[in-house]
Amino acid sequence: MTATASTATARVIRDYDRPLWRRILITREMAIIALLVLVVLVASVTLKGFAQPVTVNYLFLDIAPILLIALPMTLIMVTGEIDLSVGSMVGLASVVTGVLTQSGAPFEIAALAALAVGVIGGAVNGFLVTVVGLPSLAVTIGTLALFRGLAVGLLGTTAVTDFPEVWKDLAKAKIAGTTIPYIVIPFLVLLAIFIILLHFTPFGRGVYAIGLSKDAARFSGVHVERTKFILFVLAGAVAAFAGIFYTLRFGSARGDNATGLELQVIAAVVLGGVSVFGGRGQLHGVVAAVLLIGVLSSALRLAGVTSDVINIITGGLLVFSVVAASLLAWAHRLRSKAGPPRPRVAASSAP
Amino acid sequence: MTTTAQAPASGLRHALGGVGRAREFGILAALVVVVIAATVKNPNFLFSADGWRDLLLTPSILMLVAVGQAIVIITRNVDLSVGSVMGLTAYLTGRLFIDVPGIPIVLVVIAAVVFGALLGLINGALVAFAKVPAMVITLGTLYAYRGINVLWTGSDRINASDMPKEFLGLGTQQVLTIPVLTIIAVIVLALAAWYMRNTRGGREYYAIGSDPAAAELYGLQVTRRVLSAFVLSGALAGLAGVFYAARYGSISSQAGSGWELDAVGAAVIGGIAITGGVGTVWGAAIGAMLLMTINRALPILGIPDFWQRAVVGVLIIGAIVLDRVLAVRQKRRLIEARDES
C-alpha cells in the first residue's frame, strides 16, 4: 500500500506544474460529470419517456439512500478507511423505527431512537478502528453481520407497515411546482455541510493528510484518531437517516431492507474518483457518479434493458474507470519505449 | 488497508512459535464448544446420520471458497467476486449436464474449475497489471459476473431432475460415514496448506503480503504471484460451484450471492490478517466450518436462527480483537526481551 500512497503523493505534487485550466478541466471528476451530461443528453434525445418530470421524481427517490450515504463514505475513504456496515445500518435503523412504532411510540420518537442507534453503531465502528486499532475492512465486515443480525433478529421475517400517513406522504411528496421529492432538501443541506467540512476546514485538510500519510498527518498535529472516529459516527448517523427514509418510502420496516447497499455506495464512491488507498477524491465527483449510475440505470430500464445487463454495465464501468488510467499510462510507456524504464517500486521506501 | 505493525508481527510470531498456531487452536476450541453444546442439548446434532453428514458436508463448500480467499488475502489483496464466480460455475455445471447428455462427470468438474480459474485470471490480470486495488476490481467483477449469470440464466432454474443421479450422489454419498464432498474438500485443503507452508511459491505469497515493495525489490515475481493467487481463488470457487450444484441440486441465478462476505468473514475469523502476510488456510477452513456450524447449532440451543448473523458478527469482531491483543502483547514481550539482553 505504501507504493501506491507515494504515487498518489507524486501525482498531487505534479498537479501544480500544470496550467490552471488543465488542473480544473482534465480531472477524473470532470470526466464523470461529462459522462453524466452525455448520458442525460443521449437518453433525452433517443428515449421518448426519459425527458419527463416523473423521471426526476423516481430517480431521486431511488438513489436518495445511496446519495446520502456516499457523502460520509467519501470522507472515510479519503482517509484510507472503509465502512462496509452502512447497508446493515439502514436495515437496523428501519427495524428500530418499525419496532418502536409498533409498540406504540410516536413515530417521531421512534425515528430519533433510530438515529441514536446509528450514532451508537458508528461509534462502535469508530472505537474498534481508532482505539483498538483494527483494520476497518475487517471491523465493518463484522459489524455488517452484527447490525444485520440485530435487525433480522428483532423482527424476524415479519414486517411493520403501520406508519403515519403524514410521514409516508412526506417521504414521497414533491416540492411544490416541481417533481423533485423533498428528500433532496436534506441531501443538499448535508452536501453543503460535507463540502464545507472537507474542502474548507482544517478538519477536511486533516482528512486528506491522513489518507496520504497517517504518520505525517500525526506529526503535523492532525488528530488522526479523533477525525476517523467522528467520520464513522457521521456515517452511522447518515445511514440511519437513510434507513428512516427508506422505511417511509416503501412504507415497510423489514430486517432485510437495503441488503447489499454498501457495495453500491462504495462502487459509486470509487467511480467518482476516490482512491481506496486514501488521500484522493472530491465530493462533486462522487455525487456525479451516483447520479450517473442512477440515470444510466433508469435510462436503460426505460430502453427495455433488464436489470442484469445494467449490473454488467455498472460493474464494467467501475472496472473500466479505474483501469483506464493504467491503460493510458501503459500506452504512453509503449510509445516512449526508448526512454529509461520506470522503476516499478518507485520511491516507496521513502518514509 | 493500513500498514500497521501487523506485518512485522508475523515475523515475530513465527520466531516465538506456537502462538500463531494458538490462534487457530482458539477457533477450533470455539468450534468444539459449539458442537458439544448443541450435541448435549440434542444428541441428534452429532449422533444421527443426518446430523453427522450435515456437520461435515455443509461447511465443505464455504471451506473451498474461504481457502482461496485466504490465499488472496495473504498476498494483501481481496477477492469480492467469489460468490458470483461460484454462482456462474454452479449454473455452468447444470447447463453442461442438460446440453451435453451423457457427459462424464469428471469432464464437468474440470470444465467448472477451468472456467472459475479463467474468471479468476481476469480478476488477477486487472489487479496485477493495472495496479488498481483488488477491492475495486473485484467489486466491479462481482457485479459483472453476477450480471452475466442472470443474463445467462434468466428466470430459468436448474433442478435436481436435470442432473444425473450419479452426480447428485456426490452430494449424498459417503465413505466410512464421511461425505465424499468433504473428503475432496479436505484433500484440496491439505494440498493448499502444504503448498503454502512448505514450498517456495507458498512462502512468496506471505512475503508479498508482508511487504509488497520489499518483495519486489528482493526480486520476487510479484505480478505473477498475485495473478496465480487470483487464479487459485477462482478455481476453488469454481470447484465450490460444482459442490453447490451437487449438494443443493437447485441452481438459480442468485446461487452464491452474498458468499463473498462469508468467505472473507471465515478467513478473518480463522486468523488471516486483512493486512496480508499472516494466517494459514487451515484457520480459514476452520473459520468457515465455525460459521456454518453456528448456523445450525443456534436453533438447537434455543436461539432463533434469525440471530445467526448477529452471532457471526460478534465472532468476527471477537476474533480480530483477540488477534490484535495477542499481537500487541507479543510485541511488548519482545521489546522487553530485547531491552534485557
Side-chain angles (χ1 to χ4, degrees), chain A residues 82 132 145 264 276 326 344-345, chain B residues 130 133 135 143 216 223 309 324:
Chain A
I82 199 164
V132 188
Q264 287 176 27
V276 246
S326 307
R344 275 158 80 197
V345 208
Chain B
M135 220 187 77
Y143 284 118
E216 181 118 26
T223 308
R309 291 207 69 81
R324 176 76 184 161

Side-chain angles (χ1 to χ4, degrees), chain A residues 1-4 77 79-82 84 124 128 132-139 141-157 214 228 260-267 270 275-277 306-309 311-312 314-316 318-319 322-323 326 333 344-345 348-349, chain B residues 1-4 6 76-78 80 126 128-152 154 211-214 216-217 222-223 260-261 264-265 268 273-275 305-314 316-317 320-321 323-325 328:
Chain A
M1 316 262 141
T2 36
T4 325
M77 288 178 69
T79 68
E81 303 287 345
I82 199 164
L84 289 176
V124 169
L128 288 169
V132 188
L134 298 169
S136 55
L137 186 66
V139 166
I141 281 182
T143 50
L144 172 138
L146 175 62
F147 298 160
R148 181 65 66 190
L150 292 174
V152 178
L154 280 170
L155 259 188
T157 49
K214 207 171 56 182
K228 285 185 183 173
L261 186 76
E262 60 281 348
L263 294 182
Q264 287 176 27
V265 173
I266 290 162
V270 170
S275 158
V276 246
F277 290 134
T306 47
S307 63
D308 2 311
V309 182
N311 264 347
I312 301 181
T314 311
L318 179 62
V319 171
V322 290
V323 172
S326 307
R333 267 207 307 280
R344 275 158 80 197
V345 208
S348 63
S349 49
Chain B
M1 296 280 108
T2 46
T3 26
T4 57
Q6 295 267 339
R76 207 187 275 191
N77 287 292
V78 72
L80 291 181
L126 288 168
F129 293 118
K131 303 249 183 286
V132 171
M135 220 187 77
V136 180
I137 294 290
T138 55
L139 183 59
T141 52
L142 172 145
Y143 284 118
Y145 293 167
R146 176 69 59 195
I148 293 169
N149 194 359
V150 180
L151 197 63
W152 190 18
D211 193 336
E216 181 118 26
L217 284 175
V222 176
T223 308
E260 56 280 345
L261 291 176
V264 178
V268 166
I274 208 87
T275 43
D305 58 355
F306 296 131
W307 292 99
Q308 183 240 344
R309 291 207 69 81
V311 175
V312 167
V314 170
I316 294 177
I317 296 168
I320 53 176
V321 169
D323 209 33
R324 176 76 184 161
V325 169
V328 167

Side-chain angles (χ1 to χ4, degrees), chain A residues 290-309:
Chain A
V290 181
L291 288 172
L292 175 63
I293 295 177
V295 170
L296 201 61
S297 43
S298 68
L300 289 171
R301 224 177 300 145
L302 261 180
V305 176
T306 47
S307 63
D308 2 311
V309 182

